[in-house]
Amino acid sequence: MTGVQERATSEGTRRPTRQRAAVAAVLADTDEFRSAQELHALLREGGDKVGLATVYRNLQAMAADGEIDMLRTDEGEAVYRACSTGHHHHLVCRVCGRTVEVEGPTVEAWATRVSAEHGFTEVRHTLEIFGTCATCSR
Amino acid sequence: MTGVQERATSEGTRRPTRQRAAVAAVLADTDEFRSAQELHALLREGGDKVGLATVYRNLQAMAADGEIDMLRTDEGEAVYRACSTGHHHHLVCRVCGRTVEVEGPTVEAWATRVSAEHGFTEVRHTLEIFGTCATCSR
DNA sequence: ATCTCAAATGAGAACGATTGTCAAAATCCT
DNA sequence: AGGATTTTGACAATCGTTCTCATTTGAGAT
Ligand SMILES: [Zn+2]
Ligand SMILES: [Zn+2]
Ligand SMILES: [Zn+2]
Ligand SMILES: [Zn+2]
């Protein structure tokens, strides 16, 4: 689950603010992964005044709390998205950005087994699939 | 295979240079993933004078040609390593950096199936497992 | 409502990895 | 050797992200 989500650490210690709500709201409105800067721009368009640094801070906090998912593009840029709860992975269309959340006992088991075989503990994994969705490939 | 390796595109069109050889050599000497900057530093220590930009260019070219593997750390930094050929994944110790190459028909099949089920084509995937190796966990 | 204090914010500077520029050097081909 | 083409290197420029710190805000006590 590394990189894609984190365990809910110190959760309740967070203060509700207008900015945080705005970030959560814009995330709830989009179903594609978005970068911090893109989200910041969307907020401005929507009339919400939120500092860029604040957007970064909130996204990171939310991701750390497992409220949203974060993954890195091929270029290394962090992108965020509101996701269903629980451990899962993503099937992302590299053309339009459409994302499907996928889950698989198969891979989870495989990852666990392989790690154990090599004596690794406290393992987390990242697994993302990129391709062309049906719509875009037509 | 996205992010971890790329198809061998235009290969033979590359000119052999001292710098390229030096980069390849230092990579062959290390068995852990290293960033471009680290490799550049290692080259200097070894007495090889190679420009930083050149190190970046060569690493990217080699990765694009599938000669070496590249993956991104949690912080988004690109790290490279000379790897065995063929499609595989990595089990990386987040403490000492020790890396084990793992392979699995299981995940490959799963990824293919899941992609197909959702109508995705031209799929590539990234899968890295991070944990604590036996040595470091003792 | 007022007071207090720690947490959160914002504006902008600072950072660090990566990329771009362009003239000089190396390689290839004849 | 001579000219065309690629590669290199020093350094400027990008760009995403983080840091700084003065100011604002939320939550709890009074
Ligand atoms: Zn698409
Ligand atoms: Zn998983
Ligand atoms: Zn280790
Ligand atoms: Zn694979």
Side-chain angles (χ1 to χ4, degrees):
Chain A
M1 96 206 220
T2 303
V4 172
Q5 63 171 20
E6 291 300 323
R7 51 247 154 262
T9 325
S10 55
E11 231 280 46
T13 339
R14 213 169 291 297
R15 257 182 212 177
T17 66
R18 172 181 63 76
Q19 294 83 340
R20 163 172 303 259
V23 171
V26 71
L27 271 171
D29 266 345
T30 328
D31 53 347
E32 289 156 37
F33 278 94
R34 292 259 125 99
S35 71
Q37 313 235 25
E38 289 176 328
L39 291 168
H40 179 242
L42 286 176
L43 285 170
R44 301 208 127 180
E45 286 177 28
D48 288 300
K49 299 194 182 309
V50 184
L52 177 58
T54 299
V55 173
Y56 272 102
R57 285 187 288 240
N58 278 315
L59 288 173
Q60 284 163 359
M62 295 168 90
D65 284 351
E67 294 169 32
I68 61 176
D69 269 4
M70 180 259 261
L71 62 83
R72 297 215 173 250
T73 65
D74 279 351
E75 293 75 44
E77 189 180 12
V79 286
Y80 305 82
R81 192 188 117 155
C83 277
S84 64
T85 57
H87 178 76
H88 60 270
H89 299 284
H90 301 100
L91 182 51
V92 187
C93 174
R94 61 163 66 86
V95 179
C96 69
R98 189 191 316 292
T99 302
V100 179
E101 297 187 1
V102 293
E103 201 181 333
T106 316
V107 276
E108 305 311 319
W110 178 81
T112 305
R113 178 168 54 74
V114 158
S115 302
E117 282 175 1
H118 292 280
F120 277 62
T121 53
E122 319 225 28
V123 296
R124 296 280 154 66
H125 61 259
T126 59
L127 167 52
E128 308 300 337
I129 308 178
F130 298 92
T132 309
C133 78
T135 310
C136 291
S137 65
R138 74 128 313 51
Chain B
M1 94 203 229
T2 303
V4 170
Q5 63 173 19
E6 290 301 323
R7 50 251 156 259
T9 325
S10 55
E11 230 280 43
T13 338
R14 212 171 289 299
R15 268 181 203 178
T17 66
R18 171 182 65 74
Q19 293 83 340
R20 164 173 300 260
V23 171
V26 73
L27 272 170
D29 266 346
T30 328
D31 53 347
E32 289 156 37
F33 278 93
R34 292 260 126 97
S35 71
Q37 313 238 22
E38 288 175 329
L39 291 168
H40 178 243
L42 287 175
L43 285 170
R44 303 207 126 180
E45 287 178 28
D48 287 299
K49 300 195 182 307
V50 185
L52 177 57
T54 300
V55 173
Y56 271 102
R57 285 186 290 239
N58 278 317
L59 287 173
Q60 284 163 0
M62 295 169 89
D65 284 351
E67 294 170 32
I68 61 176
D69 268 6
M70 179 260 259
L71 64 82
R72 299 220 171 243
T73 65
D74 278 351
E75 293 76 44
E77 190 180 12
V79 286
Y80 305 82
R81 193 188 115 153
C83 277
S84 65
T85 56
H87 178 77
H88 60 270
H89 299 284
H90 302 99
L91 183 51
V92 186
C93 174
R94 60 163 67 85
V95 178
C96 69
R98 188 190 318 290
T99 302
V100 179
E101 295 188 1
V102 293
E103 201 181 332
T106 315
V107 275
E108 304 311 318
W110 177 81
T112 305
R113 179 168 54 74
V114 158
S115 302
E117 281 175 3
H118 292 279
F120 278 61
T121 53
E122 320 224 27
V123 296
R124 297 279 155 64
H125 62 258
T126 59
L127 167 52
E128 309 298 338
I129 308 179
F130 298 94
T132 309
C133 78
T135 310
C136 291
S137 66
R138 72 122 294 53

